[in-house]
């Protein structure tokens, strides 16, 4: 009699575990479909995003960036900065840096250099944080290099009243690239 109860208990427990797994797979499938929709440019209702996984919120932030809704994208990314996965944190910080860098370039093109400087500093900080989490993140390394090269150009625009003698002494600190030695 007790063997039958044990078998029924095991069967009931196995069925419950299977139902939980099916429920989780349905949720993952819905999240993947929402990410696919956002990648294609379709917006997803906000009620699906509010309590969603960080990956879904990251996809939403990238959609907002494509739609040039930068403040909303930054707010979305800032909400998920403390994601549990370090690789995901690196991606979040990389995308945060991309938005700041893009905004800095837009401000520079509009000749608002004083507004672009803090954005550029935030971009560099985000790229450095991404690299601290994943030192092999080549895209973050490349974009950090781009941000580092953008700064001397911005300095050149903002300080046109410097004397030519002072500019000559700073030549090697403002030349893009790395000086090469003899072969």
């Amino acid at each position: 009699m007790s063997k039958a109860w044990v078998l029924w208990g095991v069967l009931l427990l196995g069925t419950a575990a299977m139902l939980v797994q099916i429920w989780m797979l349905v949720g993952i499938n819905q999240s993947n479909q929402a990410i696919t929709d956002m990648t294609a440019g379709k917006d997803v209702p906000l009620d699906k995003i509010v309590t969603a996984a960080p990956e879904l919120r990251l996809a939403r932030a990238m959609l907002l960036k494509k739609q040039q809704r930068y403040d909303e994208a930054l707010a979305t990314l800032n909400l998920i900065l403390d994601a549990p996965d370090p690789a995901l944190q690196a991606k979040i910080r990389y995308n945060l840096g991309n938005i700041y860098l893009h905004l800095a370039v837009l401000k520079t093109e509009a000749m608002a250099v004083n507004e672009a400087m803090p954005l550029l500093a935030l971009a560099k900080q985000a790229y450095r944080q991404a690299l601290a989490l994943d030192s092999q993140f080549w895209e973050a390394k490349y974009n950090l290099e781009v941000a580092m090269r953008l700064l001397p150009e911005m300095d050149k625009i903002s300080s046109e009243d410097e004397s030519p003698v002072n500019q000559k002494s700073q030549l090697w600190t403002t030349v893009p690239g790395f000086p090469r030695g003899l072969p």
Side-chain angles (χ1 to χ4, degrees), residues 134-153:
D134 181 5
S135 63
Q136 299 301 314
F137 198 168
W138 290 105
E139 291 89 355
K141 287 180 183 183
Y142 179 83
N143 286 3
L144 178 60
E145 179 69 23
V146 168
M148 298 291 271
R149 289 180 182 214
L150 187 59
L151 183 61
E153 293 297 320

Side-chain angles (χ1 to χ4, degrees), residues 14 68 80 104 110 126 144 156 159:
Q68 298 180 352
I80 57 173
L144 178 60
K156 185 177 176 181
S159 61

Side-chain angles (χ1 to χ4, degrees), residues 65 70-71 74 95-127 143-144 146-155 157:
K65 181 187 178 223
Y70 301 115
D71 290 336
L74 289 171
N95 285 297
L96 196 61
N98 286 346
I99 294 172
Y100 285 132
L101 183 61
H102 182 75
L103 290 173
V105 168
L106 290 177
K107 295 287 184 183
T108 302
E109 289 172 352
M111 298 309 246
V113 177
N114 289 336
E115 294 174 26
M117 296 288 278
L119 293 169
L120 187 61
L122 288 170
K124 289 182 197 179
Q125 178 185 6
Y127 292 136
N143 286 3
L144 178 60
V146 168
M148 298 291 271
R149 289 180 182 214
L150 187 59
L151 183 61
E153 293 297 320
M154 292 172 66
D155 284 342
I157 293 170

